[in-house]
Amino acid sequence: MPVYKAPLRDMKFLLNDVFDYPGHYQTLASGENATPDIVDAILTECGRFCEEVLSPIYQSGDEEGCRLENGEVTTPKGYKEAYDQYVMGGWQGLSAPEEYGGQGLPASMGLFKQEMMGTANWSFSMYPGLSLGAMNTIFLHGSEDQKQTYLVPLTEGRWGGTMCLTEPQCGTDLGQVKTKAEPQADGSYKLTGTKIFISSGEHDLTENIVHIVLARLPDAPKGTRGISLFIVPKFLPAADGSVGERNGVNCGSLEKKMGIKASATCVMNFDGATGYLIGPENQGLECMFTFMNTARIGTAIQGVGPAELSYQWALDYAKERRSMRALSGKKEPDQVADSLIHHADVRRMLLTQKAIAEGGRSMLYYAAKLADHMVEAHTVGDDKKAEKYDDKLGFLTPILKGFLTELGNEAANLGVQVFGGHGYIREHGMEQIVRDTRIATLYEGTTGIQALDLLGRKVLLMTQGGAVREFTLKIANFARKHLTNKQLRPMAIELLKLTAQWNLLTVRVMLAARKDRDVVSAAAHDFLMYSGYVTMAYMWLRQSAVAADKLENGGDESDAFYQTKLATAEFYYERLLPRAQAHATSMLSPTRNLMQVEPDNMAFTG
């Protein structure tokens, strides 16, 4: 059975050398205790937990899945025990405020933890991951009484959390939400309705589950302007903070899914369930975006995670499996055939996985620094600073979520390809990674929705191209610094060309959209993918600059580590980055080739 190994060397390279997290943490009040020694110890211990506890139940959890009996969900064997260890280790409160029982470390520490957990066992990581979103929402928008009631047990991990948005008639279009919330004399509300696709909606890991629910008040305006947000616990909290009577919320069924089968995806029925308003009336969607942004960054991990996991297993297999001789001559003459890794096409697949995993990780860690500043600004009540970093992060969020999950799917499929027929059967685990990863481009907004958010909302509507201009200026300034370095110059020149092209494409799409509104939807996917490839190219130049410097002046890693970084960057620029030009061409293609076929003529059958 394959096992996961935490990529601590690459993580520390990014944290310490590329992004200077030790210096970054010194600028944060929450970073006081995030000293290099403490961070190193946390990463090491989390890696051990993921390798020894979570990874061994990854495949068995998929085989067994979750069971629903009499409204109660039982998770697979080993999950409850693993969750108990997770709680005992204090992992849930790693980045939570100290006043509610957390360790008060920067938000980025939680992301590093979540990356390792999600790579080792995505299904398991979803249970505490959903709780983190609920915690963030309550912390930012809840009353002090709500914080005291819910944040302490959520931070301890004794209680879990969910997000309840989707209904049978609507997914992304939340303006169609029908769940009703009737006000009661005591200030509470009675919620009635059905929610579907609710991850962690019911399970046996925690003593209580806190549902964050979108619903409508009786006289609410139509559409998204009439949605409010509510806290609906599975068990009503007692006066002393313990679990009280059962609430009117139940799991009606478990979804039968393609993957992440050890994660309970539930149909939740609210039958006059008692709920409590969180945030202002009819502004639930604005409050929920706190949850959604957290979820989308978390989902971006599911682009990096499967690329890393599939790469690790495919690499080991390619070193051991023998087939034919390399075209350049025998590499292992004393063996019956050469290992797969000596074949150029297998190298292409492995290096694609490696470039995606390490480039994607770099993108996540870059964004995590912005998240740290945003969270700290919210914590101290600096609304102006919070808005500034929220805007910066908001521009990157759809790129992270959409682009990285699309490439994560590609990397997972390449892992199956390296294994050949053995990848298609279940015992090696490669096909499970594909099945588990497929959902990542769908939930928390499909790739198309992320693309529309990026181009239509963040770039065109909100900033008139300003978001692209600001980000590309940062990239261009970095690239210019390395034009005199012979080794880095080719990458720096290419990146400068791309920053200019990115701005030109933005203007051309903007002008075209004035005459044809369908242009935005037609160009959005290609715009997002182009943006992703350029952003990852920026990250690979940043890694290359550090690697080149360490080779010249010495570093903590071996020369081979830094040389491989440079070689992987060269592979990315020469083999993967050219894809951006195909997206550039496609996004400027007229909408006519998409819209001219009448719906009734899309197929001729029978």
Side-chain angles (χ1 to χ4, degrees):
M1 174 181 166
V3 295
Y4 162 73
K5 294 294 182 183
L8 294 176
R9 292 175 69 185
D10 192 59
M11 294 174 71
K12 293 175 184 178
F13 169 70
L14 293 176
L15 295 176
N16 298 326
D17 299 326
V18 177
F19 295 119
D20 186 23
Y21 264 85
H24 165 66
Y25 285 154
Q26 290 179 11
T27 69
L28 304 173
S30 59
E32 181 181 359
N33 295 323
T35 63
D37 288 345
I38 293 295
V39 171
D40 185 75
I42 289 173
L43 294 179
T44 300
E45 183 58 25
C46 185
R48 184 205 63 77
F49 173 71
C50 293
E51 291 172 359
E52 298 178 6
V53 180
L54 298 188
S55 181
I57 58 175
Y58 176 57
Q59 287 180 275
S60 61
D62 177 71
E63 292 285 344
E64 182 181 343
C66 295
R67 303 190 312 277
L68 174 64
E69 296 179 0
N70 301 319
E72 302 290 332
V73 170
T74 302
T75 53
K77 182 180 179 180
Y79 269 56
K80 183 67 171 69
E81 292 78 8
Y83 187 80
D84 288 344
Q85 289 190 50
Y86 175 83
V87 171
M88 288 177 61
W91 293 111
Q92 189 69 355
L94 191 67
S95 299
E98 292 180 283
E99 59 262 41
Y100 303 112
Q103 298 176 45
L105 292 170
S108 54
M109 288 299 299
L111 182 135
F112 308 145
K113 172 202 71 176
Q114 194 72 3
E115 181 207 337
M116 286 189 278
M117 289 177 55
T119 308
N121 191 325
W122 186 261
S123 288
F124 178 91
S125 74
M126 289 189 68
Y127 293 102
L130 269 294
S131 298
L132 289 171
M135 290 162 61
N136 289 340
T137 302
I138 295 171
F139 177 71
L140 289 175
H141 303 292
S143 65
E144 187 56 37
D145 182 62
Q146 289 172 336
K147 292 177 184 179
Q148 293 293 340
T149 300
Y150 296 102
L151 281 184
V152 173
L154 281 167
T155 298
E156 293 174 353
R158 290 189 291 112
W159 293 6
T162 75
M163 54 190 297
C164 296
L165 287 73
T166 306
E167 298 183 4
Q169 76 284 354
C170 70
T172 301
D173 186 5
L174 293 172
Q176 298 184 49
V177 163
K178 293 182 178 179
T179 298
K180 298 178 181 179
E182 297 284 345
Q184 305 298 300
D186 63 357
S188 67
Y189 296 79
K190 293 294 184 183
L191 275 73
T192 303
T194 297
K195 300 288 184 176
I196 64 171
F197 303 158
I198 307 305
S199 299
S200 310
E202 173 62 35
H203 54 78
D204 59 353
L205 303 182
T206 59
E207 65 183 34
N208 201 3
I209 301 173
V210 180
H211 303 285
I212 306 295
V213 186
L214 288 180
R216 289 187 181 281
L217 295 170
D219 299 323
K222 294 182 179 180
T224 56
R225 292 180 299 172
I227 300 175
S228 298
L229 193 63
F230 299 87
I231 299 174
V232 184
K234 175 182 176 180
F235 293 97
L236 297 173
D240 61 359
S242 63
V243 170
E245 64 178 285
R246 180 67 189 256
N247 203 357
V249 53
N250 295 279
C251 176
S253 65
L254 287 176
E255 306 289 359
K256 295 178 174 60
K257 301 173 295 183
M258 177 179 177
I260 53 170
K261 295 182 178 180
S263 170
T265 306
C266 307
V267 174
M268 300 301 298
N269 296 317
F270 296 83
D271 300 313
T274 298
Y276 308 94
L277 182 69
I278 177 171
E281 292 185 4
N282 303 324
Q283 294 184 29
L285 205 57
E286 290 87 341
C287 296
M288 181 60 82
F289 267 115
T290 306
F291 202 133
M292 291 300 293
N293 284 331
T294 303
R296 285 168 180 167
I297 295 174
T299 305
I301 294 173
Q302 202 175 357
V304 176
E308 175 67 41
L309 187 63
S310 186
Y311 172 63
Q312 287 188 14
W313 295 358
L315 178 62
D316 287 344
Y317 186 80
K319 289 178 178 179
E320 297 173 0
R321 179 75 171 180
R322 303 185 188 283
S323 181
M324 303 180 290
R325 292 296 183 186
L327 296 180
S328 57
K330 293 181 179 180
K331 304 300 180 184
E332 299 170 287
D334 56 334
Q335 299 292 338
V336 65
D338 290 331
S339 300
L340 290 177
I341 199 165
H342 295 296
H343 298 292
D345 187 58
V346 174
R347 289 289 187 98
R348 173 189 62 82
M349 293 186 283
L350 292 172
L351 282 170
T352 298
Q353 292 179 298
K354 180 178 176 66
I356 291 171
E358 296 178 9
R361 179 176 297 115
S362 185
M363 290 170 68
L364 283 175
Y365 289 13
Y366 176 87
K369 291 180 72 173
L370 301 178
D372 279 343
H373 286 298
M374 184 184 73
V375 170
E376 177 136 313
H378 275 300
T379 302
V380 300
D382 188 340
D383 294 338
K384 186 175 181 180
K385 184 178 179 181
E387 184 178 355
K388 170 187 172 182
Y389 282 100
D390 189 36
D391 288 344
K392 291 177 182 293
L393 192 61
F395 171 70
L396 290 174
T397 295
I399 299 175
L400 292 170
K401 198 280 182 184
F403 175 73
L404 290 181
T405 57
E406 289 288 344
L407 263 62
N409 271 279
E410 177 184 351
N413 276 289
L414 286 174
V416 173
Q417 196 73 12
V418 171
F419 271 70
H422 289 284
Y424 195 69
I425 61 176
R426 300 178 72 172
E427 66 182 271
H428 294 287
M430 302 306 288
E431 58 84 35
Q432 183 188 342
I433 300 175
V434 173
R435 288 187 289 104
D436 286 352
T437 305
R438 190 61 188 86
I439 185 62
T441 64
L442 305 176
Y443 56 16
E444 315 310 339
T446 63
T447 305
I449 294 299
Q450 302 302 323
L452 281 172
D453 179 46
L454 174 65
L455 177 59
R457 186 165 175 264
K458 306 291 178 53
V459 173
L460 300 184
L461 184 62
M462 294 177 62
T463 67
Q464 293 78 51
V468 173
R469 291 192 296 273
E470 180 183 348
F471 189 54
T472 53
L473 178 61
K474 179 182 289 290
I475 297 174
N477 287 339
F478 182 83
R480 289 190 190 98
K481 295 178 182 178
H482 302 286
L483 290 173
T484 58
N485 184 306
K486 183 178 180 181
Q487 190 170 21
L488 302 177
R489 186 184 302 128
M491 287 186 283
I493 291 174
E494 180 62 23
L495 197 51
L496 281 170
K497 292 178 181 177
L498 288 166
T499 57
Q501 185 183 39
W502 195 353
N503 280 284
L504 178 61
L505 289 168
T506 302
V507 172
R508 292 188 64 179
V509 171
M510 189 184 309
L511 292 175
R514 292 179 179 179
K515 299 178 180 179
D516 181 0
R517 291 301 179 94
D518 280 334
V519 164
V520 178
S521 180
H525 175 82
D526 289 298
F527 188 89
L528 181 142
M529 295 303 291
Y530 177 94
S531 303
Y533 281 114
V534 178
T535 303
M536 187 174 281
Y538 172 42
M539 295 303 143
W540 271 114
L541 181 58
R542 292 190 65 154
Q543 293 188 66
S544 297
V546 174
D549 177 72
K550 296 298 182 184
L551 280 172
E552 182 177 349
N553 300 307
D556 295 332
E557 283 289 349
S558 65
D559 284 356
F561 178 91
Y562 300 125
Q563 289 163 350
T564 301
K565 278 291 179 185
L566 289 165
T568 308
E570 183 178 345
F571 168 85
Y572 178 81
Y573 268 78
E574 295 181 2
R575 292 269 179 174
L576 299 184
L577 187 55
R579 298 177 182 181
Q581 295 311 314
H583 289 294
T585 300
S586 184
M587 80 173 75
L588 298 178
S589 178
T591 60
R592 174 179 47 80
N593 55 42
L594 292 175
M595 309 304 292
Q596 64 184 344
V597 177
E598 292 295 329
D600 290 344
N601 296 337
M602 292 291 284
F604 297 92
T605 57

